[in-house]
Amino acid sequence: MTVCCGATEAMISALLATLDPGDEALVFTPFYENYGPDCVLAGAVPRFVALRPPHWDFDPAELAAACGPRTRAILVNTPHNPTGKVFTRAELHVIADLCQERDLVAVTDEIYEYILYDGHAHVSLATLPGMAERTITISGLSKTWSATGWRIGWALASAERTAAIRKVHDFHTGGAPAPLQEAAAEALDFGPEYFRT
């Protein structure tokens, strides 16, 4: 795990550690405002794949067609900002299959994982077979724990990937204050009752 100054910092650090200039990254649209620019800042070209209303589904054939020889990553945000869509297990399997077939890294923003409605359940892409080593999971305290000003976020990934992310992060931004990191560790242990209420 790499602790960063906010989930947005974790995302750009993960992309800078993963993508080389000229690479491509798949991005579902609409998207949180930083994803496209983060790809560009990493020197990569964002390749957009539409999520279509009313259920914000994607077309698996369109996703596969958007994946070219220079594609190295896919950004997945679930629960999704701005639509609120929660990717289904079946949709995540489509994404996982594509990642494994095309040797892609999945960079997931799961910061809304505990903010769910209407019986939806969050499934982390990294928990699917074959995905733990090829997924970078981004999250933070700002949403669920109402601590936006603390700017505490993190990236969970394999040791090799987090080592690269830490190298980027060390030169990209300052560290989160130690007392806030300790408070974050306490908040992460609040338990299931906290999420229910």
Side-chain angles (χ1 to χ4, degrees):
M1 177 167 137
T2 299
V3 176
C4 298
C5 291
T8 53
E9 290 293 335
M11 177 63 75
I12 186 62
S13 295
L15 293 177
L16 286 166
T18 302
L19 300 170
D20 290 324
D23 285 348
E24 296 175 348
L26 302 175
V27 180
F28 290 105
T29 62
F31 57 86
Y32 173 65
E33 64 189 2
N34 287 27
Y35 299 159
D38 282 354
C39 291
V40 171
L41 286 171
V45 176
R47 301 279 311 249
F48 300 111
V49 177
L51 295 174
R52 292 191 173 78
H55 301 292
W56 302 103
D57 300 321
F58 66 91
D59 179 343
E62 183 181 338
L63 179 64
C67 188
R70 302 287 320 232
T71 307
R72 298 289 176 259
I74 181 170
L75 280 67
V76 180
N77 175 214
T78 184
H80 187 259
N81 177 5
T83 68
K85 174 194 180 48
V86 179
F87 282 74
T88 66
R89 184 175 292 275
E91 289 171 322
L92 293 173
H93 273 289
V94 168
I95 294 167
D97 290 346
L98 182 69
C99 287
Q100 292 172 59
E101 290 167 11
R102 306 285 182 95
D103 194 27
L104 304 181
V105 174
V107 182
T108 67
D109 179 347
E110 300 181 23
I111 198 160
Y112 293 102
E113 69 182 294
Y114 298 109
I115 303 175
L116 299 163
Y117 301 95
D118 301 327
H120 288 287
H122 172 71
V123 177
S124 179
L125 187 61
T127 65
L128 298 183
M131 290 305 294
E133 293 299 313
R134 66 174 62 251
T135 302
I136 301 169
T137 305
I138 308 294
S139 195
L141 288 185
S142 63
K143 309 303 185 221
T144 303
W145 289 273
S146 302
T148 54
W150 286 12
R151 309 307 302 150
I152 303 255
W154 52 83
L156 298 170
S158 67
E160 178 184 346
R161 293 193 197 286
T162 55
I165 294 166
R166 276 194 302 278
K167 286 176 186 169
V168 169
H169 183 258
D170 284 350
F171 295 101
H172 182 255
T173 187
L180 298 184
Q181 290 186 44
E182 288 185 35
E186 289 290 324
L188 290 171
D189 281 335
F190 281 178
E193 185 59 29
Y194 175 78
F195 305 113
R196 283 192 292 273
T197 59

